[in-house]
Amino acid sequence: SFVSKRLGYMGDLGSLDDLSAHLLLTALSAQLPDDALDGLESRISAPHGQFCLNIVHAWMTEESSAAVLYDICRRIESLCNLQQRFAQMPASALMEADVLPCINERILVDLCSSMGHGADRSDEASAALQRRKDLRWFSRVTDHFNVLEAAVKAQRFYRDHVGGFHYAKPDEVWKAYTSDWYRMDASYRHFCSAFDLCQKTTSDLPVELDEAIEVLASWMERIYVNWFLADSNACWVNASEKSWEQMGYVEGVARQRRFFEESVIAGSGDVKKTMVIISDALRFEVAAELADRLERDTRGAAELKSMQSVFPSITEFGMAALLPHTSMSYGWNDGGVYLNGDMPTNGTGARESVLRFRK
């Protein structure tokens, strides 16, 4: 009598499937459009929807038994063919519902698959990301939503630059990359990291979700490699090739060979000691993310700058270029890089000698 009054359930209390289906579907009816559960009316008591929803939400927060609820949800999804039902509904119709874990999966399949086939749904996907992260069961597919988020940023970048990259001067290309273009590199890195985690997941996710993520990955690869890398690099080469051929560098952009004089000496002011931390081959977009984290975590201020590498841009030349010097040469006999005529730079001891000589 109590269960009937509070939940609207009139069936057999000994039937786990029937009672569970009633509880979950009645709760779900409070979150979905009126016709979304047509054909399942016998398992739903609409007047008790909010009360059943409160029960389900409270159950989700109980860490000791949330896993039991998850297993029950999976049973009812299968019993009532809910995966197939939701596959026929647009993602927008499911956006406010979180009773069942398959809802996140269907939203992801819809958005990832269509975006992977070229549809521009970045605005809709962005809204879904903001909404779903605050709802239940999100943690079980966080990596998949991270894949979607990276794809959204890449798609918006593509939409904003679909006309291509057109600059005639190398310093203009440089400014464009350090102020804007690097974001595409960041999106691709975040996508690959999240995609790798998706590949390693052991949860019972539907095959359709794996397929949708694969389709989106193929789209991302085409956009990044065939479009962004090819076109942006062509723009840079066309703008800077003549300068590199004539001078070995481009004008208007800070040079690595001037690092010590312009950044360490001129930038230290009255400071007695300056510490330089060198991270070989650190990508600009990674440095940008690091600067953001430093400001956020330390509540301090981080300033991000860039400079063009010495050529060839490999460790042996780059390490030497950062040291104080007036000339740099290459030892054809031993393959070493020398500063100021005869000062070797291979090894920590040799580089310390260069610094002591500067003092």
Side-chain angles (χ1 to χ4, degrees):
S1 176
F2 175 80
V3 171
S4 173
K5 180 179 179 180
R6 302 298 285 172
L7 305 184
Y9 178 67
M10 307 294 292
D12 180 8
L13 289 177
S15 173
L16 174 62
D17 285 348
D18 289 345
L19 178 57
S20 299
H22 176 89
L23 175 66
L24 294 173
L25 292 176
T26 298
L28 191 58
S29 70
Q31 296 183 317
L32 293 178
D34 294 339
D35 59 348
L37 299 175
D38 284 352
L40 296 172
E41 290 86 355
S42 63
R43 295 185 178 276
I44 297 171
S45 177
H48 300 85
Q50 190 58 52
F51 188 80
C52 289
L53 183 60
N54 292 342
I55 292 176
V56 174
H57 279 171
W59 194 350
M60 289 175 175
T61 62
E62 293 292 333
E63 294 184 6
S64 60
S65 59
V68 175
L69 176 60
Y70 179 81
D71 291 338
I72 292 175
C73 286
R74 286 307 200 190
R75 286 167 58 111
I76 302 308
E77 288 171 0
S78 177
L79 176 68
C80 300
N81 295 317
L82 295 177
Q83 286 272 12
Q84 292 79 0
R85 176 183 291 266
F86 296 152
Q88 309 304 315
M89 298 171 58
S92 57
L94 300 169
M95 205 57 64
E96 299 299 320
D98 66 348
V99 169
L100 300 170
C102 72
I103 294 174
N104 276 329
E105 297 156 13
R106 296 316 310 176
I107 291 175
L108 282 166
V109 169
D110 180 16
L111 293 173
C112 291
S113 180
S114 60
M115 288 176 63
H117 284 100
D120 185 351
R121 301 183 67 184
S122 56
D123 293 340
E124 183 181 356
S126 181
L129 284 161
Q130 293 301 315
R131 183 66 184 117
R132 299 307 297 180
K133 67 175 55 177
D134 296 326
L135 301 180
R136 276 69 170 185
W137 303 126
F138 181 85
S139 61
R140 290 186 171 271
V141 284
T142 299
D143 295 327
H144 295 76
F145 273 107
N146 287 340
V147 164
L148 180 62
E149 183 174 21
V152 165
K153 293 178 180 179
Q155 190 172 75
R156 285 179 170 173
F157 184 91
Y158 176 72
R159 183 176 63 191
D160 293 341
H161 300 82
V162 68
F165 309 96
H166 307 290
Y167 290 98
K169 298 180 180 180
D171 59 322
E172 294 176 339
V173 181
W174 191 279
K175 182 178 180 180
Y177 181 83
T178 55
S179 63
D180 179 29
W181 296 1
Y182 77 89
R183 302 181 194 280
M184 187 63 179
D185 279 329
S187 297
Y188 183 73
R189 176 171 58 86
H190 291 152
F191 185 96
C192 291
S193 297
F195 181 77
D196 286 345
L197 293 174
C198 290
Q199 298 294 93
K200 298 174 183 177
T201 184
T202 57
S203 57
D204 56 337
L205 299 177
V207 174
E208 294 84 355
L209 180 54
D210 290 335
E211 293 174 345
I213 293 292
E214 290 283 354
V215 170
L216 189 58
S218 296
W219 173 86
M220 174 64 90
E221 200 69 17
R222 291 194 303 273
I223 289 297
Y224 183 72
V225 177
N226 298 343
W227 173 70
F228 175 70
L229 287 186
D231 289 9
S232 63
N233 187 61
C235 179
W236 167 249
V237 170
N238 291 335
S240 63
E241 187 173 27
K242 186 175 181 179
S243 295
W244 277 96
E245 180 183 2
Q246 295 177 348
M247 299 180 295
Y249 62 90
V250 298
E251 292 184 314
V253 179
R255 297 168 58 195
Q256 187 182 29
R257 290 190 60 176
R258 300 291 302 162
F259 169 76
F260 196 89
E261 296 297 328
E262 296 177 358
S263 298
V264 178
I265 301 301
S268 60
D270 297 330
V271 177
K272 293 182 178 180
K273 292 184 178 181
T274 299
M275 180 172 65
V276 177
I277 301 173
I278 300 172
S279 179
D280 195 14
L282 181 68
R283 290 158 57 112
F284 181 85
E285 47 93 7
V286 176
E289 184 174 329
L290 176 60
D292 288 340
R293 289 192 182 187
L294 286 173
E295 290 194 334
R296 183 172 61 251
D297 296 346
T298 66
R299 296 183 181 179
E303 183 179 5
L304 181 64
K305 296 181 180 180
S306 63
M307 55 180 54
Q308 57 181 303
S309 168
V310 66
F311 184 83
S313 57
I314 57 177
T315 301
E316 292 89 335
F317 288 84
M319 291 288 284
L322 295 173
L323 297 170
H325 66 279
T326 56
S327 66
M328 178 185 294
S329 59
Y330 178 71
W332 294 101
N333 294 326
D334 60 7
V337 180
Y338 292 84
L339 297 180
N340 303 325
D342 60 353
M343 300 190 72
T345 60
N346 57 327
T348 303
R351 290 190 289 272
E352 287 180 349
S353 296
V354 176
L355 287 171
R356 286 196 296 269
F357 179 80
R358 168 64 175 73
K359 295 177 181 179

